Amino acid sequence: MSILDRLTGQDRPSPANAEFIAVLADEASAALLRQFVLEGMVSHAHVLVGGVRDLIGLLGQVERPPRQLVVDVSGSTMSNTELAELAAVCPPGVAVVVVGERNDVGTYRELLRMGVDDYLVKPLTMDLLRRVLNRRTGRSVPAQQIRTGKVVACVGSRGGVGTSTLVANLGWQLAGPLERRVAAIDLDPFGGALDLMLSAPNNHGLADLLANVNQLDPNFVERSFAQAAPRLFLLAARAELDQSGVLPPRAVLTLLAELRKLFHYVFLDLPARGGELTAALLADADTVAVVSEPSVVATRETLRLIQLAETRDDRVPLMLLVNHPRQPGHAELKLADFEEAVGRRASHVLPFDRDAAGLGENLGPPLISRRGPLALALRRVADDLAGRRSAEGGRRLLPDWLPLPGLAPARGG
């Protein structure tokens, strides 16, 4: 086996650990990229002949996202459509260079608008590759700031309303059928249940990362997560009940800045009473999901949470989810009275489903993978976040935030 084969990944059938992947439409361009890889000593590289859809298939095989993608759209009659499909599976923070045949400013500007790092016009030359790609890492010199993933802060009006259930199920759906790369972070170190709901080990990874937050690198971050399912990763910590200072807000915010580069979605499972930490994360999140129930106490606390989330300078999408975690009774408020009291309509209403909820919480996998009214309602919430559903019944739904590779949208975009 030659050194060129080892460098370009030709000795293995899939680029499972590749950090640099290039898919070119013709053998001559692919050969030039292989020469570039050899000359620049780019390790963990994979170069092959193909198109955008071939690259999409390869990304479904990777164990962790590559740092750099080069993709050729030459000859494609639907290049923008194919790149949009690539965006759906391309993790945020991945630098993307597009190769094509059209040499005009309009094409270049359109690709930059969509989030591509750079655009190269054929015929490729070694000098052009050297100028655009970093010889040591295979990364491009970004033409614009790389866009990042979305942080979704989920907080309950009181304990037991189903916040952890929501995080576990949305993460499962977005990582599975919708093929997004998802991180779920349990921010209750004194009794969080996400590890049980996802049947994943609690390896104290969150505590390790926060203790070394000024020395983060992607490999260290990846190793700190427990994998709950393909593309779904859990971060949690189990602290002693009398321990203090477990989750410093500033350190958590620093960690989130790094995670935005690695995941499409970062779900935060916030405790019902998080104090300074909850306030800081609601202020930093890209979407806020408030989970409540139609009771008097929950109504009062829901109003307080909404007011807290709306104190930030910039407006962010706020989802209000009304859950029925218990059998409905006469003591409950009517939905219309609840909505009038909090001053907004519910984005989604989750029906009571005793059997499904019990199975999902205690036996796994999450109930969203099953049948029933609650599973269906949760899938609608996931579709809402992914921009896959149109407005129904006057409910305000969130727009799709995923544009093109590189390619996740800028925060707030």
Side-chain angles (χ1 to χ4, degrees):
M1 187 64 61
S2 69
I3 185 173
L4 177 59
D5 288 337
R6 290 196 299 271
L7 287 173
T8 57
Q10 300 303 309
D11 60 326
R12 55 182 182 267
S14 67
N17 298 300
E19 296 185 1
F20 175 88
I21 300 178
V23 180
L24 287 305
D26 61 279
E27 180 57 41
S29 298
L32 189 67
L33 259 294
R34 294 190 187 104
Q35 182 182 345
F36 167 79
V37 165
L38 177 62
E39 180 184 291
M41 298 297 291
V42 181
S43 61
H44 305 295
H46 191 89
V47 181
L48 71 158
V49 176
V52 180
R53 298 191 189 280
D54 296 299
L55 178 56
I56 292 173
L58 289 176
L59 290 177
Q61 304 173 33
V62 300
E63 297 177 358
R64 57 188 177 88
R67 295 183 178 181
Q68 168 73 52
L69 296 177
V70 178
V71 60
D72 194 342
V73 296
S74 301
S76 173
T77 59
M78 299 184 296
S79 58
N80 285 356
T81 299
E82 291 180 341
L83 287 174
E85 293 175 5
L86 175 62
V89 298
C90 180
V94 177
V96 177
V97 172
V98 172
V99 176
E101 297 175 321
R102 297 180 58 184
N103 187 12
D104 63 81
V105 175
T107 298
Y108 179 73
R109 288 178 175 172
E110 177 65 15
L111 289 172
L112 290 185
R113 185 193 66 79
M114 293 189 297
V116 170
D117 283 73
D118 217 325
Y119 176 63
L120 305 182
V121 180
K122 287 184 172 180
L124 299 178
T125 65
M126 187 60 68
D127 181 62
L128 179 62
L129 295 178
R130 292 190 189 112
R131 284 189 287 111
V132 174
L133 302 178
N134 184 301
R135 293 183 60 183
R136 291 186 179 273
T137 65
R139 299 287 311 258
S140 66
V141 179
Q144 60 181 16
Q145 182 179 0
I146 296 176
R147 298 181 177 187
T148 55
K150 290 282 184 171
V151 170
V152 182
C154 302
V155 60
S157 59
R158 61 187 298 186
V161 295
T163 308
S164 297
T165 298
L166 178 74
V167 171
N169 283 276
L170 293 185
W172 189 274
Q173 181 73 5
L174 288 166
L178 301 188
E179 297 185 339
R180 304 298 197 260
R181 185 172 166 83
V182 180
I185 306 180
D186 193 333
L187 290 165
D188 182 357
F190 302 110
L194 266 184
D195 54 338
L196 298 177
M197 291 184 177
L198 293 173
S199 300
N202 189 326
N203 60 1
H204 305 281
L206 179 58
D208 293 339
L209 287 175
L210 294 180
N212 299 277
V213 74
N214 295 320
Q215 301 176 19
L216 295 178
D217 68 77
N219 291 331
F220 174 43
V221 174
E222 292 274 352
R223 291 194 304 269
S224 300
F225 277 87
Q227 186 166 3
R231 296 178 294 275
L232 176 59
F233 301 86
L234 171 68
L235 198 59
R238 185 61 53 83
E240 299 297 330
L241 294 179
D242 59 353
Q243 191 173 343
S244 61
V246 180
L247 304 178
R250 182 173 297 181
V252 176
L253 292 174
T254 300
L255 175 61
L256 289 182
E258 184 65 28
L259 297 183
R260 279 185 165 102
K261 304 174 187 176
L262 302 175
F263 296 93
H264 288 112
Y265 294 91
V266 179
F267 283 96
L268 307 180
D269 184 1
L270 294 167
R273 296 293 179 270
E276 181 184 7
L277 178 63
T278 293
L281 295 180
L282 291 181
D284 186 66
D286 303 291
T287 296
V288 173
V290 176
V291 187
S292 190
E293 63 179 9
S295 68
V296 174
V297 173
T299 300
R300 180 190 66 185
E301 298 308 307
T302 299
L303 182 58
R304 295 177 68 195
L305 285 171
I306 292 174
Q307 291 172 343
L308 177 61
E310 292 182 340
T311 57
R312 51 189 290 175
D313 295 332
D314 55 327
R315 300 279 294 185
V316 297
L318 191 150
M319 301 180 73
L320 176 59
L321 297 106
V322 178
N323 187 26
H324 291 81
R326 290 173 291 276
Q327 181 74 42
H330 297 295
E332 285 191 338
L333 296 176
K334 294 182 178 179
L335 179 61
D337 295 333
F338 171 86
E339 292 177 327
E340 181 180 0
V342 300
R344 67 171 61 220
R345 298 189 69 186
S347 307
H348 295 272
V349 177
L350 307 180
F352 174 73
D353 190 341
R354 181 185 58 194
D355 294 336
L359 288 172
E361 181 175 351
N362 297 314
L363 300 178
L367 61 91
I368 200 168
S369 63
R370 304 173 185 272
R371 296 183 178 182
L374 181 54
L376 177 61
L378 287 168
R379 286 196 288 271
R380 287 174 177 166
V381 179
D383 286 344
D384 189 346
L385 275 174
R388 295 165 59 92
R389 218 161 57 91
S390 59
E392 297 177 6
R395 302 295 183 191
R396 178 178 179 275
L397 302 181
L398 300 177
D400 187 8
W401 56 266
L402 288 172
L404 279 184
L407 282 181
R411 293 185 53 204

